[in-house]
Amino acid sequence: MKAVVMAGGEGTRLRPMTSSMPKPLLPVANRPIMEHVLRLLKRHGLTETVVTVQFLASLVKNYFGDGEELGMELTYANEEKPLGTAGSVKNAEEALKDDAFLVISGDALTDFDLTDLISFHKEKGALVTVCLTRVPNPLEFGITIVDEEGKVERFLEKPTWGQVFSDTVNTGIYVMEPEVFDYVEADVPVDWSGDVFPQLMKEGKPIFGYVAEGYWEDVGTHESYVKAQADVLERKVDVELDGFEISPGVWVAEGAEVHPDAVLRGPLYIGDYAKVEAGVEIREHTVVGSNVVVKSGAFLHKAVIHDNVYVGQQSNLRGCVVGKNTDIMRAARIEDGAVIGDECLIGEESIVQGNVRVYPFKTIEAGAFVNTSVIWESRGQAHLFGARGVTGILNVEITPEVVVRLAGAYATTLKKGSTVTTARDHSRGARALKRAVISALQASAIDVRDLENVPLPVARQQTARGSAGGIMIRTSPGVPDSVDIMFFDARGADLSQGGQRKLDRVYARQEYRRAFPGEIGDLHFPSSVFDSYTGSLLRNVDTTGIADSGLKVVVDASNGSAGLVLPSLLGRLGVDALTINPGLDESRPTESVESRRAGMVRLGEIVASARAAFGVRFDPVGERFSLVDERGRIIEDDRALLVLLDLVAAERRSGRVALPVTTTRIAEQVAAYHGTQVEWTTTSPDDLTRVAREDTTIFGGDGRGGFIVPEFSSVFDGAAAFVRLVGLVARTQLTLSQIDARIPRAHVLKRDVATPWAVKGLVMRRVVEAAGDRHVDTTDGVRVVEADGRWVMVLPDPAEAVTHLWAEGPDDTSAQALLDEWAAVVDSAGK
C-alpha cells in the first residue's frame, strides 16, 4: 500500500516560525515534524510515499529528496494553487489509482498503529476509513460520531462550542479506495470533510471511523508546537530521538560539547555539535538545536531553540521559541510564549515580553523593552470575540494600542478605499478609543463615516447604507470599567463566525495593511442622522391607529443615547408620551442590575399614577427595552417576549418567528394558536439576524429585551420594537396585563456549571451518551428532550470556562429536578 503525505499547508497560525519555513519542516526534538511522520510510515511498511507540496515546495523537496536516506521512495505532487485536502490528493491520482492508499498530514505528530488502521479498513470493506481520536478541545477539528460497528453517523467540520456534540475528532488520517477519486473534481479546491464526505454519506457509501489509541497532536499553534516538544521529551509519544541519554531524560546528540559545570535538569535535548558552556542552567522541556552556542550564565527553561542560534552570557529564555540563525546577545531576556523568527538580532539587555511575535530578519535594539499586548492569551482565550464582540477592561485589557491593532486588522480584511462607519456611546472611554479606531482605519486606506454618539440601532442602520462595515464602541452592559468593541458587516449585523475568525487570524499574525501617503482615508461626519433614521422607521413600521387611539405611554431613556432619537420619533409618532431621564450622563454609561431594577420599579409607579397604557425603559444604547404593564407591574424580559409574540402573531396570522432554542416551548403554543410557526436558532445574535432577513419572518427576540422588527431591520432595535408595540396596542382591544394573563406560565430554569477548558469536549460527549435513546437536538449545544416533553439544554460558553444549562418542565419542581440531574452529568464529566 502507498501513502500520501500532505505537506502543502502554509501554517499561518504558526507565523513567524513559518514565515520562511514550511510547517512540515518545523523541528520537533531537532527533527522536522514530517520526518517523524515518514519514519512512522516506514515502521508500518508504507515505504512508497507521495508527498503533496505547494507552499515553499522546493524547501521540502530539497530536504527529503527521493527519500533514500530514510530508506523510502518519495515522489512529489506539486500544486500550482491551493487545492484543498481532497484536491491535492486528486493531484496525485496517477500514482494512487491502482490500490487502496493511506493519507496522513505532514505536520501532525502521532504514533498511531497504522497497521491496525489498515486492517480495520479491509475488514469493514470501507470505501473510506477516517482515523479518529479523542481530544479535550474539539473546536479546531472535525467532530465525528460513529455507531457500534464503526460506521460514521455524523460529521461537522470545525464547530463552535454551541455545535459541539462529541470530543471524537477527525485526525486527517484516512485509508481510501481509489474509487473515491470519482467524487473529487480535478484542478479545483475540494476538501474531504467539507465536500467529499458529505456526498458519500448522502449516497450511503461505506464510511467508517476507527478510534485510534495512542498519541496525536495537531501542531497548528505555538502552544501545541511547544507542547509537542515536551511530550517527545516526556516519552509520551513513540518517536526516535537522535543521540545518547547521558542521564535520565537528558539527551545529547553526536558532537555536542556540554561543560561538566553546566546544570542539566531533564527531560531536555541538546542537538548535534551544540556547545554549552560552564555555568549554564538548562531545565526541563528545553530543546537546543544543532550548532547552537549557549554562553556561560545563560538560563533556559521550556525553551525551543532552532539550529545555529547564539545565546549570550547571562541571557534568560523561558517558554519561548527562537528561530534559526538568530543571535541573542548578553543578558537579553525572552519571556514565556514569545516567538522570535529566523535570523533576528536580540540586543544586549533587551527584554521581549511574553507572547510577542518578532518576525524574521528584525533587530531589537540593545536595552529595548518590547511589549505588545498579551491580553487575549493571558485570559486563556482562544479567540478575540466573546458574546458582545471584543470585550475587556478599559486601559488594562483594551488599550489604545490594542484598539489600533484591532482596527488595523479589521481594515486589512476589507478592500482599500472601502468605507467604514464608526460610532460610540456617551462614555469618555468610548470617545477616546474611537479616535484611535478612526486613525487606524484611515492609515489603512479606509474612508470613515463617523456618527459620534448614537444609539446602537442607528449605528447599524447607517452602516447598512453603503458602508463595507462598522465599528461601535460602548461600555459593557452592567460593567462600567469595561468596554465592548463591536464589529459590523455591510448589513449592520454582527460579524458572522467566519468573519470573526478572519479578523482573528489577521490580528494574531499582526500583518496589517498600511496605506501609501496618497491613499490615506477621508473622514466624514454625516448630517441629519436621527431624522433619517426616524423617517425610515416610520415609513416601514405600521403606525395605523396610533394617532386616533389616545394612547398614553411612559418612556424611560435611562440617561443614555436612546434619548437622542426619542424627541424626533415621539413627535412624529403622534402618541401622548411622558419621557423621563432623557439627558446624557457621562458618569453613568451603563447601569447595574440593582439600579436598573430600581428604575423599573420607579417606572411602574409613574405608569400607574399617570394611567398610561404601558411603560418602556431602554438600555443605555437603545438596543433593548423592558416593559411594565398598565398597572405598573414589571413584565420580566422572557415574559415580554411572549407578550409581543402574541400581539404580532395575532395580527399577522401567518409567517415565522425567530427565537433561540433556549426559549420556553410555550412560545410554540402561542405562535401555533395564531397560525404562525417558530424557527429555532442558536443563541448567537448573528443566527437570529440570518433568519430575520428571510421574507417570511415576522418577528424575532432573544428573551433578554432584544426584539427584531423584520420589516425595518434584521437586528435588535429598541426604538423599532417600541414603535411596533405602540401600533399593536393601539389596534387591539386588550391591555398588556390581559394578554399576559392569557399566556400559560413558563417554567424555565438556568444554571451555570464551572467546566475547565480541557474537558469541555468530553462533557458534551458524556451528555450525548447519557441522552441514550431520547431525542437530541444539536441546533446549539445539545438539547435533550424527554418523552413527556420536558427538556434540558447544555451549551458550552465560547469565552469562559463555564457550561450553561437550561431546563423546562410543567412546573418549577420538575424543571429543577431535570436541571439537577443533568448538572450532575456535566459536573462529573468535568472532574
Side-chain angles (χ1 to χ4, degrees):
M1 181 180 286
K2 292 183 179 179
V4 183
V5 175
M6 313 277 287
E10 294 188 32
T12 53
R13 291 181 298 166
L14 282 165
R15 291 182 182 175
M17 284 190 284
T18 53
S19 295
S20 53
M21 179 189 298
K23 184 178 170 185
L25 291 186
L26 281 179
V28 172
N30 221 34
R31 243 184 207 154
I33 306 173
M34 184 171 149
E35 185 174 338
H36 290 298
V37 172
L38 292 174
R39 288 175 181 268
L40 175 68
L41 292 174
K42 183 183 176 184
R43 285 208 303 270
H44 290 277
L46 297 160
T47 56
E48 286 188 70
T49 298
V50 182
V51 181
T52 66
V53 291
Q54 196 259 327
F55 177 69
L56 299 177
S58 60
L59 296 181
V60 177
K61 292 179 181 178
N62 291 342
Y63 186 92
F64 291 105
D66 60 7
E68 182 180 359
E69 289 187 15
L70 293 172
M72 302 181 72
E73 184 179 328
L74 302 184
T75 56
Y76 297 87
N78 196 62
E79 301 172 44
E80 297 301 323
K81 59 180 181 180
L83 294 174
T85 54
S88 61
V89 178
K90 175 77 171 180
N91 197 40
E93 181 180 5
E94 191 61 31
L96 304 168
K97 62 184 180 181
D98 297 325
D99 197 3
F101 56 90
L102 181 140
V103 178
I104 191 168
S105 172
D107 51 36
L109 187 65
T110 182
D111 58 10
F112 286 162
D113 187 343
L114 302 182
T115 301
D116 197 50
L117 168 65
I118 294 167
S119 298
F120 176 93
H121 173 82
K122 292 178 179 177
E123 288 169 10
K124 296 295 183 181
L127 175 62
V128 175
T129 296
V130 182
C131 186
L132 308 172
T133 193
R134 304 197 194 284
V135 298
N137 183 352
L139 286 191
E140 296 301 321
F141 313 102
I143 56 177
T144 309
I145 287 182
V146 296
D147 64 18
E148 293 178 356
E149 296 181 7
K151 197 165 187 178
V152 174
E153 288 185 329
R154 193 180 301 172
F155 186 92
L156 180 64
E157 180 68 6
K158 292 192 177 180
T160 64
W161 270 118
Q163 297 169 315
V164 169
F165 47 76
S166 176
D167 63 348
T168 308
V169 304
N170 176 6
T171 64
I173 302 173
Y174 313 113
V175 182
M176 298 177 164
E177 298 296 324
E179 288 81 4
V180 77
F181 287 126
D182 295 341
Y183 295 85
V184 185
E185 188 177 349
D187 297 320
V188 296
V190 183
D191 282 309
W192 292 121
S193 55
D195 303 310
V196 179
F197 293 166
Q199 183 63 31
L200 293 177
M201 293 179 69
K202 186 177 179 181
E203 294 185 15
K205 299 296 183 183
I207 302 182
F208 283 80
Y210 170 88
V211 182
E213 298 293 332
Y215 180 91
W216 178 79
E217 181 71 43
D218 176 51
V219 185
T221 64
H222 294 97
E223 293 77 14
S224 61
Y225 177 67
V226 173
K227 179 179 182 295
Q229 315 281 344
D231 290 343
V232 168
L233 295 175
E234 295 278 2
R235 312 307 288 157
K236 292 181 179 179
V237 52
D238 183 16
V239 298
E240 299 173 28
L241 281 174
D242 283 335
F244 311 93
E245 193 174 15
I246 61 173
S247 63
V250 176
W251 290 81
V252 178
E254 179 183 0
E257 296 181 31
V258 181
H259 195 280
D261 292 334
V263 177
L264 306 180
R265 298 185 181 180
L268 58 84
Y269 182 90
I270 297 173
D272 51 311
Y273 302 102
K275 183 178 181 181
V276 179
E277 293 188 350
V280 168
E281 182 174 354
I282 302 179
R283 302 187 66 174
E284 66 266 23
H285 300 163
T286 295
V287 175
V288 175
S290 302
N291 303 306
V292 170
V293 175
V294 185
K295 302 297 285 183
S296 61
F299 177 90
L300 286 71
H301 183 206
K302 295 183 179 179
V304 180
I305 313 300
H306 292 183
D307 297 346
N308 305 308
V309 169
Y310 175 88
V311 181
Q313 293 178 334
Q314 308 300 321
S315 55
N316 192 306
L317 281 61
R318 298 172 183 265
C320 58
V321 178
V322 179
K324 65 180 184 294
N325 303 319
T326 286
D327 294 332
I328 300 171
M329 309 312 288
R330 181 188 63 80
R333 185 182 185 93
I334 305 177
E335 297 283 8
D336 186 51
V339 180
I340 311 299
D342 297 343
E343 301 193 47
C344 289
L345 173 64
I346 310 299
E348 289 188 356
E349 298 185 359
S350 60
I351 298 175
V352 179
Q353 284 287 82
N355 297 291
V356 167
R357 306 288 184 252
V358 179
Y359 274 64
F361 314 109
K362 300 295 188 297
T363 297
I364 304 300
E365 299 291 338
F369 184 84
V370 183
N371 176 24
T372 59
S373 172
V374 294
I375 294 164
W376 308 109
E377 294 83 357
S378 68
R379 294 175 62 201
Q381 214 166 289
H383 303 284
L384 290 171
F385 287 85
R388 300 184 304 270
V390 180
T391 299
I393 300 172
L394 176 65
N395 276 339
V396 176
E397 296 173 304
I398 302 294
T399 63
E401 297 88 345
V402 170
V403 170
V404 166
R405 289 199 296 275
L406 275 169
Y410 182 57
T412 304
T413 67
L414 305 174
K415 293 181 180 179
K416 282 187 176 182
S418 298
T419 298
V420 168
T421 296
T422 59
R424 62 172 175 86
D425 71 4
H426 57 285
S427 66
R428 291 184 180 182
R431 178 192 297 156
L433 294 179
K434 183 172 64 63
R435 290 168 178 163
V437 165
I438 292 171
S439 297
L441 292 173
Q442 290 182 279
S444 299
I446 297 294
D447 293 335
V448 179
R449 294 176 68 245
D450 185 30
L451 305 179
E452 301 183 277
N453 175 24
V454 296
L456 179 54
V458 175
R460 293 185 185 277
Q461 185 223 35
Q462 289 292 314
T463 298
R465 294 190 167 186
S467 295
I471 300 176
M472 170 88 179
I473 302 179
R474 69 168 185 183
T475 306
S476 301
V479 190
D481 59 351
S482 182
V483 293
D484 300 337
I485 304 176
M486 308 177 72
F487 293 88
F488 306 148
D489 62 18
R491 289 184 289 249
D494 292 341
L495 284 185
S496 66
Q497 296 285 341
Q500 291 179 14
R501 283 195 290 266
K502 184 177 181 181
L503 176 53
D504 223 336
R505 286 195 299 270
V506 175
Y507 181 85
R509 294 202 302 259
Q510 299 189 27
E511 296 177 347
Y512 313 125
R513 181 184 68 223
R514 292 291 178 249
F516 296 110
E519 298 175 326
I520 300 296
D522 290 332
L523 174 60
H524 305 284
F525 298 92
S527 59
S528 305
V529 170
F530 298 124
D531 287 341
S532 171
Y533 171 81
T534 301
S536 177
L537 173 55
L538 296 178
R539 284 192 302 271
N540 286 280
V541 178
D542 187 1
T543 59
T544 56
I546 294 178
D548 300 326
S549 66
L551 274 182
K552 179 187 288 187
V553 296
V554 181
V555 181
D556 188 346
S558 304
N559 297 116
S561 55
L564 298 173
V565 77
L566 286 175
S568 172
L569 180 61
L570 294 172
R572 298 168 66 177
L573 190 58
V575 66
D576 183 7
L578 170 62
T579 304
I580 60 176
N581 299 318
L584 294 176
D585 185 350
E586 286 188 352
S587 66
R588 293 195 299 120
T590 187
E591 52 190 358
S592 66
V593 174
E594 294 77 15
S595 63
R596 182 160 186 83
R597 192 72 181 181
M600 289 295 295
V601 171
R602 177 63 179 152
L603 174 63
E605 294 170 350
I606 295 172
V607 168
S609 63
R611 297 184 179 179
F614 61 87
V616 297
R617 180 179 173 88
F618 288 97
D619 72 356
V621 292
E623 183 182 41
R624 302 167 182 271
F625 67 66
S626 297
L627 270 178
V628 297
D629 66 16
E630 77 284 358
R631 300 174 184 176
R633 293 186 304 187
I634 298 171
I635 303 177
E636 301 297 342
D637 288 344
D638 55 348
R639 194 73 186 165
L641 174 62
L642 297 178
V643 170
L644 263 75
L645 168 60
D646 186 272
L647 281 165
V648 173
E651 183 169 276
R652 298 293 289 271
R653 296 286 175 179
S654 64
R656 297 184 305 162
V657 295
L659 302 173
V661 289
T662 52
T663 307
T664 171
R665 266 42 191 181
I666 298 294
E668 277 187 323
Q669 299 176 30
V670 174
Y673 180 80
H674 296 298
T676 61
Q677 64 184 59
V678 174
E679 173 83 4
W680 297 112
T681 75
T682 71
T683 53
S684 171
D686 68 277
D687 200 27
L688 268 174
T689 296
R690 174 187 60 81
V691 177
R693 286 197 296 265
E694 298 175 5
D695 293 337
T696 57
T697 304
I698 60 170
F699 176 68
D702 67 353
R704 294 182 292 111
F707 303 102
I708 297 175
V709 182
E711 59 264 38
F712 174 65
S713 170
S714 62
V715 297
F716 296 136
D717 190 325
F722 168 70
V723 171
R724 189 169 191 186
L725 176 61
V726 172
L728 290 166
V729 172
R731 293 187 294 272
T732 187
Q733 301 301 311
L734 300 174
T735 64
L736 292 191
S737 63
Q738 290 172 325
I739 295 169
D740 185 25
R742 74 183 186 184
I743 300 172
R745 311 313 292 181
H747 301 277
V748 179
L749 302 179
K750 183 177 184 293
R751 184 182 301 176
D752 294 340
V753 178
T755 308
W757 284 102
V759 299
K760 278 193 173 183
L762 171 63
V763 164
M764 300 311 291
R765 175 164 63 88
R766 291 282 174 81
V767 169
V768 172
E769 291 171 350
D773 296 332
R774 285 168 284 198
H775 175 68
V776 172
D777 175 10
T778 57
T779 300
D780 199 12
V782 173
R783 191 173 72 92
V784 181
V785 184
E786 303 284 348
D788 60 3
R790 294 180 302 146
W791 59 269
V792 67
M793 180 170 160
V794 183
L795 177 67
D797 192 284
E800 298 180 12
V802 167
T803 299
H804 304 293
L805 286 84
W806 291 261
E808 181 172 27
D811 51 56
D812 282 348
T813 301
S814 175
Q816 186 66 55
L818 196 61
L819 198 61
D820 290 342
E821 175 189 347
W822 287 92
V825 173
V826 172
D827 199 41
S828 63
K831 291 181 178 178

